[in-house]
mmCIF file of all heavy atoms in Angstrom:
data_model
loop_
_atom_site.group_PDB
_atom_site.id
_atom_site.type_symbol
_atom_site.label_atom_id
_atom_site.label_comp_id
_atom_site.label_asym_id
_atom_site.label_seq_id
_atom_site.Cartn_x
_atom_site.Cartn_y
_atom_site.Cartn_z
ATOM 1 N N GLU A 548 140.294 105.525 116.456
ATOM 2 C CA GLU A 548 139.307 106.126 117.378
ATOM 3 C C GLU A 548 138.553 107.210 116.672
ATOM 4 O O GLU A 548 137.153 107.153 116.724
ATOM 5 C CB GLU A 548 140.067 106.995 118.471
ATOM 6 C CG GLU A 548 139.115 107.750 119.374
ATOM 7 C CD GLU A 548 139.957 108.562 120.355
ATOM 8 O OE1 GLU A 548 141.271 108.436 120.410
ATOM 9 O OE2 GLU A 548 139.358 109.443 120.999
ATOM 10 N N ASN A 675 124.850 114.687 125.714
ATOM 11 C CA ASN A 675 126.136 115.465 125.913
ATOM 12 C C ASN A 675 126.510 115.239 127.601
ATOM 13 O O ASN A 675 127.654 115.129 127.731
ATOM 14 C CB ASN A 675 126.018 116.822 125.729
ATOM 15 C CG ASN A 675 127.329 117.482 125.273
ATOM 16 O OD1 ASN A 675 128.257 116.762 124.601
ATOM 17 N ND2 ASN A 675 127.558 118.753 125.500
ATOM 18 N N ALA A 676 125.487 115.092 128.283
ATOM 19 C CA ALA A 676 125.815 114.871 129.716
ATOM 20 C C ALA A 676 126.440 113.663 129.991
ATOM 21 O O ALA A 676 127.430 113.360 130.821
ATOM 22 C CB ALA A 676 124.543 114.958 130.637
ATOM 23 N N TYR A 677 126.133 112.513 129.173
ATOM 24 C CA TYR A 677 126.767 111.209 129.309
ATOM 25 C C TYR A 677 128.186 111.239 128.724
ATOM 26 O O TYR A 677 129.278 110.818 129.257
ATOM 27 C CB TYR A 677 125.946 110.088 128.537
ATOM 28 C CG TYR A 677 124.746 109.814 129.264
ATOM 29 C CD1 TYR A 677 123.466 110.587 129.134
ATOM 30 C CD2 TYR A 677 124.608 108.686 130.171
ATOM 31 C CE1 TYR A 677 122.304 110.232 129.792
ATOM 32 C CE2 TYR A 677 123.493 108.451 130.805
ATOM 33 C CZ TYR A 677 122.277 109.286 130.477
ATOM 34 O OH TYR A 677 121.158 108.842 131.197
ATOM 35 N N PHE A 678 128.353 111.862 127.520
ATOM 36 C CA PHE A 678 129.592 111.830 126.803
ATOM 37 C C PHE A 678 130.637 112.671 127.696
ATOM 38 O O PHE A 678 131.832 112.355 127.662
ATOM 39 C CB PHE A 678 129.499 112.411 125.404
ATOM 40 C CG PHE A 678 128.988 111.468 124.305
ATOM 41 C CD1 PHE A 678 127.759 111.721 123.776
ATOM 42 C CD2 PHE A 678 129.557 110.299 124.018
ATOM 43 C CE1 PHE A 678 127.197 110.736 122.867
ATOM 44 C CE2 PHE A 678 129.063 109.379 123.188
ATOM 45 C CZ PHE A 678 127.858 109.651 122.541
ATOM 46 N N ASN A 679 130.246 113.762 128.262
ATOM 47 C CA ASN A 679 131.001 114.670 128.891
ATOM 48 C C ASN A 679 131.756 113.834 130.122
ATOM 49 O O ASN A 679 132.838 114.020 130.586
ATOM 50 C CB ASN A 679 130.406 115.849 129.651
ATOM 51 C CG ASN A 679 130.060 116.915 128.631
ATOM 52 O OD1 ASN A 679 129.319 117.802 128.955
ATOM 53 N ND2 ASN A 679 130.514 116.773 127.380
ATOM 54 N N LEU A 680 131.064 112.843 130.706
ATOM 55 C CA LEU A 680 131.577 112.076 131.821
ATOM 56 C C LEU A 680 132.723 111.253 131.516
ATOM 57 O O LEU A 680 133.485 110.845 132.318
ATOM 58 C CB LEU A 680 130.437 111.160 132.358
ATOM 59 C CG LEU A 680 129.214 111.831 133.116
ATOM 60 C CD1 LEU A 680 128.112 110.912 133.361
ATOM 61 C CD2 LEU A 680 129.760 112.674 134.302
ATOM 62 N N VAL A 681 132.854 110.870 130.214
ATOM 63 C CA VAL A 681 134.023 110.097 129.856
ATOM 64 C C VAL A 681 134.898 111.037 128.812
ATOM 65 O O VAL A 681 135.692 110.517 128.050
ATOM 66 C CB VAL A 681 133.498 108.838 129.119
ATOM 67 C CG1 VAL A 681 133.029 107.939 130.053
ATOM 68 C CG2 VAL A 681 132.585 109.173 127.875
ATOM 69 N N GLY A 682 134.867 112.389 128.973
ATOM 70 C CA GLY A 682 135.846 113.168 128.361
ATOM 71 C C GLY A 682 135.612 113.498 126.955
ATOM 72 O O GLY A 682 136.576 113.890 126.170
ATOM 73 N N TYR A 683 134.360 113.325 126.492
ATOM 74 C CA TYR A 683 133.981 113.701 125.133
ATOM 75 C C TYR A 683 132.807 114.731 125.101
ATOM 76 O O TYR A 683 132.053 114.845 126.221
ATOM 77 C CB TYR A 683 133.665 112.496 124.275
ATOM 78 C CG TYR A 683 134.742 111.504 123.935
ATOM 79 C CD1 TYR A 683 135.218 110.588 125.046
ATOM 80 C CD2 TYR A 683 135.535 111.637 122.822
ATOM 81 C CE1 TYR A 683 136.215 109.785 124.774
ATOM 82 C CE2 TYR A 683 136.435 110.842 122.545
ATOM 83 C CZ TYR A 683 136.945 109.872 123.617
ATOM 84 O OH TYR A 683 138.093 109.104 123.352
ATOM 85 N N GLN A 684 132.623 115.346 123.970
ATOM 86 C CA GLN A 684 131.470 116.175 123.861
ATOM 87 C C GLN A 684 130.695 115.930 122.646
ATOM 88 O O GLN A 684 131.217 115.481 121.560
ATOM 89 C CB GLN A 684 131.986 117.561 123.745
ATOM 90 C CG GLN A 684 132.955 117.872 122.604
ATOM 91 C CD GLN A 684 133.437 119.403 122.758
ATOM 92 O OE1 GLN A 684 132.744 120.311 123.391
ATOM 93 N NE2 GLN A 684 134.501 119.675 122.083
ATOM 94 N N PHE A 685 129.432 116.156 122.757
ATOM 95 C CA PHE A 685 128.375 115.876 121.577
ATOM 96 C C PHE A 685 127.912 117.135 121.086
ATOM 97 O O PHE A 685 127.077 117.838 121.761
ATOM 98 C CB PHE A 685 127.224 114.899 122.281
ATOM 99 C CG PHE A 685 126.250 114.515 121.240
ATOM 100 C CD1 PHE A 685 126.630 113.501 120.257
ATOM 101 C CD2 PHE A 685 124.932 114.827 121.332
ATOM 102 C CE1 PHE A 685 125.639 113.226 119.351
ATOM 103 C CE2 PHE A 685 123.969 114.471 120.634
ATOM 104 C CZ PHE A 685 124.259 113.521 119.537
ATOM 105 N N GLU A 786 133.601 114.501 119.851
ATOM 106 C CA GLU A 786 134.921 115.013 120.035
ATOM 107 C C GLU A 786 135.494 115.053 121.422
ATOM 108 O O GLU A 786 134.690 114.963 122.505
ATOM 109 C CB GLU A 786 135.030 116.461 119.429
ATOM 110 C CG GLU A 786 134.682 116.613 118.033
ATOM 111 C CD GLU A 786 134.677 118.025 117.509
ATOM 112 O OE1 GLU A 786 134.975 118.913 118.411
ATOM 113 O OE2 GLU A 786 134.482 118.240 116.371
ATOM 114 N N ARG A 787 136.779 114.898 121.620
ATOM 115 C CA ARG A 787 137.317 114.861 122.886
ATOM 116 C C ARG A 787 137.190 116.238 123.576
ATOM 117 O O ARG A 787 137.249 117.308 122.855
ATOM 118 C CB ARG A 787 138.877 114.568 122.784
ATOM 119 C CG ARG A 787 139.090 113.143 122.651
ATOM 120 C CD ARG A 787 140.492 112.683 122.892
ATOM 121 N NE ARG A 787 140.772 111.385 122.740
ATOM 122 C CZ ARG A 787 141.527 110.500 123.611
ATOM 123 N NH1 ARG A 787 142.158 111.126 124.656
ATOM 124 N NH2 ARG A 787 141.634 109.341 123.418
ATOM 125 N N LEU A 788 136.917 116.289 124.767
ATOM 126 C CA LEU A 788 136.901 117.498 125.567
ATOM 127 C C LEU A 788 138.415 118.081 125.772
ATOM 128 O O LEU A 788 139.165 117.355 126.381
ATOM 129 C CB LEU A 788 136.298 117.398 126.895
ATOM 130 C CG LEU A 788 134.707 117.376 127.038
ATOM 131 C CD1 LEU A 788 134.214 116.980 128.413
ATOM 132 C CD2 LEU A 788 134.232 118.745 126.648
ATOM 133 N N ALA A 789 138.642 119.352 125.435
ATOM 134 C CA ALA A 789 140.127 119.808 125.480
ATOM 135 C C ALA A 789 140.404 119.890 127.008
ATOM 136 O O ALA A 789 141.610 119.684 127.277
ATOM 137 C CB ALA A 789 140.067 121.109 124.930
ATOM 138 N N ASN A 790 139.468 120.191 127.853
ATOM 139 C CA ASN A 790 139.881 120.352 129.425
ATOM 140 C C ASN A 790 139.386 119.130 130.203
ATOM 141 O O ASN A 790 139.132 119.217 131.420
ATOM 142 C CB ASN A 790 139.182 121.648 129.869
ATOM 143 C CG ASN A 790 137.676 121.622 129.702
ATOM 144 O OD1 ASN A 790 137.193 120.664 129.034
ATOM 145 N ND2 ASN A 790 137.007 122.550 130.320
ATOM 146 N N ALA A 791 139.354 117.945 129.552
ATOM 147 C CA ALA A 791 138.868 116.814 130.305
ATOM 148 C C ALA A 791 139.865 116.443 131.498
ATOM 149 O O ALA A 791 141.050 116.671 131.304
ATOM 150 C CB ALA A 791 138.795 115.571 129.382
ATOM 151 N N SER A 792 139.241 116.132 132.609
ATOM 152 C CA SER A 792 140.125 115.631 133.853
ATOM 153 C C SER A 792 140.714 114.333 133.490
ATOM 154 O O SER A 792 140.303 113.605 132.590
ATOM 155 C CB SER A 792 139.267 115.730 134.998
ATOM 156 O OG SER A 792 138.428 114.526 134.935
ATOM 157 N N GLU A 793 141.810 113.943 134.307
ATOM 158 C CA GLU A 793 142.402 112.773 134.279
ATOM 159 C C GLU A 793 141.514 111.685 134.322
ATOM 160 O O GLU A 793 141.528 110.568 133.749
ATOM 161 C CB GLU A 793 143.498 112.592 135.268
ATOM 162 C CG GLU A 793 144.761 113.364 135.005
ATOM 163 C CD GLU A 793 145.917 113.119 135.905
ATOM 164 O OE1 GLU A 793 145.794 112.045 136.679
ATOM 165 O OE2 GLU A 793 146.870 113.853 135.952
ATOM 166 N N GLU A 794 140.417 111.797 135.221
ATOM 167 C CA GLU A 794 139.504 110.734 135.522
ATOM 168 C C GLU A 794 138.494 110.624 134.382
ATOM 169 O O GLU A 794 138.234 109.395 133.947
ATOM 170 C CB GLU A 794 138.678 111.081 136.883
ATOM 171 C CG GLU A 794 137.551 110.098 137.190
ATOM 172 C CD GLU A 794 138.087 108.620 137.505
ATOM 173 O OE1 GLU A 794 139.311 108.489 137.538
ATOM 174 O OE2 GLU A 794 137.147 107.839 137.748
ATOM 175 N N GLN A 795 138.200 111.626 133.776
ATOM 176 C CA GLN A 795 137.408 111.601 132.615
ATOM 177 C C GLN A 795 138.068 110.851 131.513
ATOM 178 O O GLN A 795 137.516 109.921 130.759
ATOM 179 C CB GLN A 795 136.973 113.075 132.119
ATOM 180 C CG GLN A 795 135.923 113.654 132.929
ATOM 181 C CD GLN A 795 135.680 115.130 132.636
ATOM 182 O OE1 GLN A 795 136.584 115.925 132.348
ATOM 183 N NE2 GLN A 795 134.458 115.579 132.435
ATOM 184 N N ARG A 796 139.352 111.246 131.261
ATOM 185 C CA ARG A 796 140.116 110.539 130.193
ATOM 186 C C ARG A 796 140.312 109.081 130.504
ATOM 187 O O ARG A 796 140.208 108.088 129.596
ATOM 188 C CB ARG A 796 141.525 111.132 130.093
ATOM 189 C CG ARG A 796 141.424 112.643 129.354
ATOM 190 C CD ARG A 796 142.833 112.967 128.910
ATOM 191 N NE ARG A 796 143.668 113.234 130.065
ATOM 192 C CZ ARG A 796 143.777 114.459 130.748
ATOM 193 N NH1 ARG A 796 143.095 115.436 130.294
ATOM 194 N NH2 ARG A 796 144.702 114.551 131.721
ATOM 195 N N ARG A 797 140.537 108.698 131.787
ATOM 196 C CA ARG A 797 140.629 107.308 132.144
ATOM 197 C C ARG A 797 139.368 106.604 131.851
ATOM 198 O O ARG A 797 139.360 105.420 131.215
ATOM 199 C CB ARG A 797 140.880 107.273 133.626
ATOM 200 C CG ARG A 797 141.230 105.709 134.190
ATOM 201 C CD ARG A 797 141.366 105.636 135.624
ATOM 202 N NE ARG A 797 140.108 105.863 136.308
ATOM 203 C CZ ARG A 797 139.278 104.837 136.567
ATOM 204 N NH1 ARG A 797 139.500 103.660 136.218
ATOM 205 N NH2 ARG A 797 138.268 105.042 137.349
ATOM 206 N N LEU A 798 138.164 107.114 132.155
ATOM 207 C CA LEU A 798 136.942 106.507 131.909
ATOM 208 C C LEU A 798 136.678 106.422 130.418
ATOM 209 O O LEU A 798 136.120 105.425 129.901
ATOM 210 C CB LEU A 798 135.757 107.189 132.625
ATOM 211 C CG LEU A 798 135.984 107.085 134.246
ATOM 212 C CD1 LEU A 798 134.697 107.960 134.921
ATOM 213 C CD2 LEU A 798 135.813 105.607 134.605
ATOM 214 N N GLY A 799 137.138 107.385 129.660
ATOM 215 C CA GLY A 799 136.952 107.503 128.224
ATOM 216 C C GLY A 799 137.795 106.315 127.679
ATOM 217 O O GLY A 799 137.332 105.640 126.576
ATOM 218 N N ASN A 800 138.975 106.111 128.028
ATOM 219 C CA ASN A 800 139.788 105.077 127.567
ATOM 220 C C ASN A 800 139.202 103.707 127.793
ATOM 221 O O ASN A 800 139.299 102.865 127.114
ATOM 222 C CB ASN A 800 141.273 105.180 128.130
ATOM 223 C CG ASN A 800 141.952 106.353 127.475
ATOM 224 O OD1 ASN A 800 141.678 106.913 126.568
ATOM 225 N ND2 ASN A 800 143.057 106.764 128.383
ATOM 226 N N TRP A 802 135.935 103.184 128.149
ATOM 227 C CA TRP A 802 134.940 102.887 127.255
ATOM 228 C C TRP A 802 135.279 102.444 125.831
ATOM 229 O O TRP A 802 134.660 101.665 125.317
ATOM 230 C CB TRP A 802 134.159 104.360 127.077
ATOM 231 C CG TRP A 802 133.121 104.466 126.081
ATOM 232 C CD1 TRP A 802 132.123 103.593 125.725
ATOM 233 C CD2 TRP A 802 132.900 105.521 125.077
ATOM 234 N NE1 TRP A 802 131.364 103.973 124.684
ATOM 235 C CE2 TRP A 802 131.839 105.186 124.126
ATOM 236 C CE3 TRP A 802 133.517 106.679 124.924
ATOM 237 C CZ2 TRP A 802 131.399 106.013 123.242
ATOM 238 C CZ3 TRP A 802 133.148 107.542 123.878
ATOM 239 C CH2 TRP A 802 131.975 107.218 122.997
ATOM 240 N N LEU A 805 140.826 101.971 124.901
ATOM 241 C CA LEU A 805 142.086 102.580 124.487
ATOM 242 C C LEU A 805 143.160 102.385 125.627
ATOM 243 O O LEU A 805 142.902 102.367 126.809
ATOM 244 C CB LEU A 805 141.962 104.133 124.102
ATOM 245 C CG LEU A 805 140.928 104.513 123.091
ATOM 246 C CD1 LEU A 805 140.543 105.942 123.035
ATOM 247 C CD2 LEU A 805 141.272 103.920 121.752
ATOM 248 N N GLU A 807 146.073 103.579 128.313
ATOM 249 C CA GLU A 807 146.246 104.748 129.010
ATOM 250 C C GLU A 807 147.310 105.581 128.431
ATOM 251 O O GLU A 807 148.158 105.173 127.785
ATOM 252 C CB GLU A 807 146.645 104.344 130.406
ATOM 253 C CG GLU A 807 145.743 103.503 131.214
ATOM 254 C CD GLU A 807 144.369 104.298 131.627
ATOM 255 O OE1 GLU A 807 144.428 105.569 131.713
ATOM 256 O OE2 GLU A 807 143.398 103.754 131.650
ATOM 257 N N GLY A 808 146.963 107.024 128.449
ATOM 258 C CA GLY A 808 147.818 107.902 128.030
ATOM 259 C C GLY A 808 147.326 108.525 126.533
ATOM 260 O O GLY A 808 147.871 109.396 126.096
ATOM 261 N N ASN A 809 146.354 107.751 126.070
ATOM 262 C CA ASN A 809 145.764 108.201 124.841
ATOM 263 C C ASN A 809 144.920 109.612 124.971
ATOM 264 O O ASN A 809 144.406 109.804 126.043
ATOM 265 C CB ASN A 809 144.838 107.310 124.221
ATOM 266 C CG ASN A 809 145.682 106.235 123.441
ATOM 267 O OD1 ASN A 809 146.830 105.982 123.683
ATOM 268 N ND2 ASN A 809 144.996 105.354 122.669
#
Side-chain angles (χ1 to χ4, degrees):
E548 176 188 351
N675 211 30
Y677 290 86
F678 284 117
N679 285 173
L680 294 172
V681 290
Y683 289 84
Q684 57 183 339
F685 183 65
E786 300 175 351
R787 287 196 176 219
L788 279 172
N790 59 349
S792 67
E793 287 188 15
E794 179 65 3
Q795 286 172 314
R796 286 195 295 271
R797 183 183 75 84
L798 294 174
N800 288 341
W802 169 45
L805 302 174
E807 295 296 330
N809 282 14

